[in-house]
Amino acid sequence: MTQTPQTAPEPEVMIRLENLTKRFPGTQRNAVDGLTLDIHAGEIVVLVGPSGCGKTTTMKMINRIIEPTSGRIILGGEDVTTTNADQLRRRIGYVIQQTGLFPHLTIGENVATVPKLLGWDAARTRSRVDELLSMVNMDPDEYRGRYPKQLSGGQQQRVGVARALGGDPQVMLMDEPFGAIDPITRERLQNEFLRLQSEVRKTIVFVTHDIDEAIKMGDRIAILQEGSSIAQYDTPEKILTAPANDFVRDFIGGGASLKRLSLSRVRDIELASWPTVSAADSLEQAHRVLRESDHSAVLVLDTEGRPARWVGAEDLRRGAGQSLDRIGTVPQAVVESRATLSDALNELIAARYAVTVVVDQDGRHLGVVDIEQINEAIRSMRHSAVAEARTEFADGRTAP
Amino acid sequence: MEFLEFLGNRADDLLEMGLAHAAIVGAAVLIATVIGVALGIATYRTERPREFVLAITGTFLTIPSFALFILLLGPLGLGWPPVLFALVLYGLLPVVRNTITGLREVDPAVIESAQGMGLNRRQRLLRIELPLAWPVVITGVRVTTLVLLGIAAIGAVVNGPGYGEMIFTGLARVGTPVAVNMVLAGTLGVIVLAVLFDLIFYTVQRLTTSRGIR
Ligand SMILES: Nc1ncnc2c1ncn2[C@@H]1O[C@H](COP(=O)(O)OP(=O)(O)OP(=O)(O)O)[C@@H](O)[C@H]1O
Ligand SMILES: [Mg+2]
């Protein structure tokens, strides 16, 4: 009897770069030198590396904003190295750091650009525009008619993403899309984008020079050296636990264990509980709950179950006669359950009661994260990394 | 007031001259705009042709208008043809220069993202670059109009239409009481036209410039 081996199906290759090379006229060296890379469908591949290593050049060769000197680009099995570039680009979303929104067109017209190029009728275009704006958390009725200059930087970048998704492309190219945005907004946009990607499942090439962003966003990371030569092309876990060479080790830099906190989401660990009361409860009830717990404050939830206030014993005494949602302090350290442990730790460090409150998508309280749980997460990651390295060694495989 | 009386007596003449003046300048501005914008579009991306076009159209402006009108007498004769021809030459530089400046000032990131979305060269030019350069272009057209209104008056040396006739007749009669009135009326006519044209351009500019770049 013959047995068919049960092999997992190889994921489809969406973009294949073959020996791709670019030499700019009048320069001595190849900006991209014989790069070969397979990018699988539905994955975010991050190109990361020091400034000038060729990330942008590599990316712009995929939609042929920069024409390769030699080599081939294969998109979904089709060689597109010399096909009509304009038609190719309508199938590829493109987001750049400077957003490049058309300042003389409204947000709605900006987002409608590719649908119009593709000849969609007015009704279909309009409903697509509204759908895309909602997808990037912008109320279509409020923003459709505005002009780019009437939006904040973060909102402009959201519109940039919506516009790139216009023609429902299979592939998106993003060059440092969140690079020019303040850290807090950047983090929010990153999280939103990951949520969006979990719905749309595009094949994404994402350029950044920030290793932390690479670890957070990437399903796979290509760490590039000068001339876009690949130092390591692997999952974030592998890159952090088994850097292929000194260049990668240096590039990751110190604090690899801390960086690995970006790999786990808050929803993946068990949350700690914290005493809560409802905003409608009396101060006496809050007092009782507080006394029975070994914590120094209770968390007041509003009628929807969303965190409203931290209230400590001192607040209860001074606020006598007022309702619970008028005393104490507003919780600042709050993250969604899809946030990374690194996000949670960041919040925790500055938090009043040394915990980060975790909420669901609608802002309802789920529990808290404290330093103990973060420690525990680091310990277990280290264990599993060691265990994995052992089995690979036993299998006779060498580190990639 | 003697001058007001003069204006009252010659009102019909003045109106007719005003219309003729406006017509020849309007026609010259239109032609200069079409040619100037076309030259700008054709050359703004390449350095040599760009510098060449700017140098040539700049040179036109340095020719004394009096001389040019006389020189054109030979090939084009008397009346409006030499005037129109000369006005177009004088009107090119502001239009060409502003077209080139406007197109070159468009944010490269905007053009790149248009390219990245698959707009071809022509679509980029018509839908993105020209609309964005438009306020600068139309400012050039405004300048051209003001310059040409003045130069057109000198066209009277070759029997061109407009207020020039009034001014030149007045100059020929210097010393008589009516001379000052004629020169003054002609000059005033040009100024009134300038104000009217500017009002029109202001309105057109507002109506044709997107709110997003105002
Ligand atoms: N148009 C050009 N002409 C000549 N050389 C260029 C051109 N564009 C890029 N280069 C060179 O090619 C190399 C790679 O540039 P590229 O923009 O791809 O780098 P990068 O990895 O994106 O860097 P950064 O992180 O700073 O954006 C650099 O040495 C750069 O100087
Ligand atoms: Mg770059």
Side-chain angles (χ1 to χ4, degrees):
Chain A
M1 257 180 78
T2 52
Q3 237 182 338
T4 43
Q6 293 284 308
T7 50
E10 265 289 294
E12 181 201 349
V13 174
M14 181 57 93
I15 306 170
R16 167 166 286 167
L17 306 180
E18 269 181 25
N19 222 357
L20 206 58
T21 298
K22 178 67 190 182
R23 160 97 51 115
F24 287 104
T27 59
Q28 305 301 316
R29 245 183 282 172
N30 290 338
V32 175
D33 190 23
L35 173 69
T36 295
L37 188 72
D38 276 356
I39 293 165
H40 296 292
E43 285 193 347
I44 300 181
V45 166
V46 179
L47 307 182
V48 63
S51 184
C53 71
K55 307 179 291 289
T56 297
T57 307
T58 301
M59 194 181 97
K60 286 188 185 173
M61 281 195 282
I62 298 176
N63 65 356
R64 308 223 332 262
I65 297 260
I66 293 177
E67 292 285 356
T69 310
S70 64
R72 300 205 301 161
I73 306 143
I74 291 152
L75 190 75
E78 176 198 354
D79 188 337
V80 295
T81 322
T82 55
T83 56
N84 180 306
D86 292 319
Q87 246 127 55
L88 170 70
R89 291 175 192 141
R90 290 172 202 171
R91 293 161 50 196
I92 302 180
Y94 189 52
V95 182
I96 55 178
Q97 181 178 337
Q98 309 88 325
T99 71
L101 294 185
F102 305 139
H104 61 304
L105 300 182
T106 61
I107 299 310
E109 289 164 338
N110 265 281
V111 177
T113 306
V114 176
K116 276 191 191 148
L117 284 176
L118 296 175
W120 295 12
D121 64 49
R124 183 172 172 211
T125 302
R126 196 165 337 112
S127 70
R128 177 70 177 155
V129 166
D130 286 1
E131 179 192 353
L132 287 166
L133 285 177
S134 311
M135 268 163 98
V136 297
N137 289 343
M138 309 239 335
D139 177 12
D141 290 329
E142 186 173 351
Y143 292 104
R144 198 193 292 118
R146 288 211 203 173
Y147 286 94
K149 69 173 180 191
Q150 298 167 315
L151 302 186
S152 71
Q155 291 170 334
Q156 289 183 14
Q157 202 52 270
R158 287 197 179 97
V159 175
V161 171
R163 185 176 68 166
L165 286 167
D168 206 10
Q170 293 169 297
V171 172
M172 298 257 284
L173 307 178
M174 310 179 80
D175 193 351
E176 308 208 26
F178 310 133
I181 289 170
D182 71 87
I184 293 171
T185 312
R186 181 187 314 145
E187 191 173 309
R188 187 169 330 130
L189 289 186
Q190 287 168 340
N191 292 340
E192 280 180 19
F193 185 74
L194 287 172
R195 172 158 62 205
L196 180 61
Q197 165 68 353
S198 69
E199 290 160 20
V200 296
R201 291 263 158 233
K202 303 292 182 193
T203 307
I204 295 168
V205 180
F206 189 110
V207 166
T208 177
H209 57 249
D210 175 0
I211 183 70
D212 294 306
E213 184 169 59
I215 291 166
K216 178 166 181 182
M217 304 303 287
D219 293 311
R220 231 173 268 273
I221 299 175
I223 297 189
L224 302 178
Q225 280 169 277
E226 183 135 340
S228 257
S229 94
I230 299 177
Q232 186 167 4
Y233 182 38
D234 221 325
T235 60
E237 289 82 355
K238 279 290 177 51
I239 281 176
L240 288 175
T241 51
N245 50 43
D246 285 345
F247 180 84
V248 174
R249 240 184 305 275
D250 283 351
F251 194 77
I252 299 168
S257 344
L258 276 184
K259 292 206 169 71
R260 299 185 58 205
L261 289 176
S262 305
L263 296 172
S264 318
R265 312 259 154 204
V266 172
R267 60 168 177 245
D268 300 333
I269 65 170
E270 200 164 325
L271 298 177
S273 64
W274 191 277
T276 63
V277 293
S278 153
D281 290 344
S282 67
L283 295 195
E284 288 68 38
Q285 274 166 304
H287 239 308
R288 204 171 317 119
V289 173
L290 187 58
R291 236 180 353 220
E292 284 163 9
S293 77
D294 52 358
H295 292 288
S296 55
V298 290
L299 185 59
V300 180
L301 305 180
D302 69 11
T303 48
E304 311 286 329
R306 293 178 301 222
R309 296 278 165 164
W310 282 117
V311 173
E314 179 67 23
D315 300 317
L316 284 172
R317 195 147 39 73
R318 264 186 304 171
Q322 299 189 61
S323 79
L324 276 172
D325 54 4
R326 303 222 168 270
I327 60 175
T329 51
V330 176
Q332 301 291 344
V334 179
V335 296
E336 273 192 35
S337 60
R338 70 172 58 245
T340 64
L341 288 187
S342 170
D343 297 336
L345 177 61
N346 267 338
E347 297 291 335
L348 192 156
I349 287 165
R352 176 101 182 246
Y353 296 102
V355 291
T356 299
V357 180
V358 180
V359 296
D360 66 12
Q361 283 199 51
D362 303 316
R364 280 188 297 262
H365 172 77
L366 295 173
V368 300
V369 173
D370 63 22
I371 194 71
E372 269 313 306
Q373 288 158 298
I374 304 249
N375 268 332
E376 182 52 42
I378 292 177
R379 262 195 303 276
S380 73
M381 273 188 275
R382 201 174 295 140
H383 277 135
S384 60
V386 169
E388 198 176 329
R390 280 207 188 105
T391 51
E392 283 192 6
F393 184 71
D395 288 353
R397 276 187 279 162
T398 49
Chain B
M1 278 291 289
E2 197 204 343
F3 179 58
L4 289 183
E5 214 170 283
F6 174 83
L7 288 185
N9 289 339
R10 303 292 298 268
D12 285 354
D13 273 0
L14 284 170
L15 191 65
E16 200 174 309
M17 285 178 188
L19 289 177
H21 202 108
I24 189 107
V25 169
V29 167
L30 209 67
I31 297 171
T33 301
V34 171
I35 299 176
V37 169
L39 283 174
I41 290 173
T43 61
Y44 77 105
R45 278 145 58 100
T46 38
E47 190 182 338
R48 290 272 185 82
R50 185 171 72 225
E51 297 305 326
F52 180 74
V53 163
L54 287 175
I56 294 292
T57 52
T59 311
F60 291 154
L61 261 184
T62 65
I63 309 174
S65 49
F66 212 89
L68 184 59
F69 286 127
I70 304 291
L71 287 174
L72 289 172
L73 256 184
L76 296 176
L78 284 172
W80 63 264
V83 179
L84 184 64
F85 190 85
L87 291 185
V88 170
L89 289 192
Y90 286 125
L92 284 177
L93 179 70
V95 179
V96 173
R97 200 189 38 211
N98 281 38
T99 304
I100 288 175
T101 308
L103 287 172
R104 281 167 60 81
E105 271 174 1
V106 176
D107 182 356
V110 168
I111 298 175
E112 186 185 307
S113 73
Q115 191 184 7
M117 277 184 290
L119 276 81
N120 61 33
R121 177 78 198 94
R122 193 189 149 79
Q123 291 164 330
R124 289 201 296 276
L125 185 69
L126 292 181
R127 298 191 199 177
I128 310 297
E129 295 177 67
L130 275 178
L132 287 175
W134 182 244
V136 185
V137 175
I138 199 165
T139 303
V141 178
R142 260 170 106 163
V143 171
T144 281
T145 309
L146 297 182
V147 170
L148 296 193
L149 279 170
I151 297 179
I154 299 171
V157 291
V158 290
N159 282 353
Y163 286 121
E165 191 192 330
M166 179 77 81
I167 298 172
F168 274 74
T169 316
L171 287 177
R173 298 186 193 170
V174 169
T176 67
V178 80
V180 174
N181 283 343
M182 292 185 93
V183 174
L184 202 57
T187 312
L188 213 61
V190 173
I191 292 175
V192 168
L193 281 184
V195 171
L196 288 179
F197 266 109
D198 224 39
L199 269 175
I200 293 173
F201 274 115
Y202 175 78
T203 317
V204 171
Q205 182 161 15
R206 272 200 80 83
L207 292 179
T208 54
T209 303
S210 154
R211 260 199 309 130
I213 52 175
R214 230 181 266 155

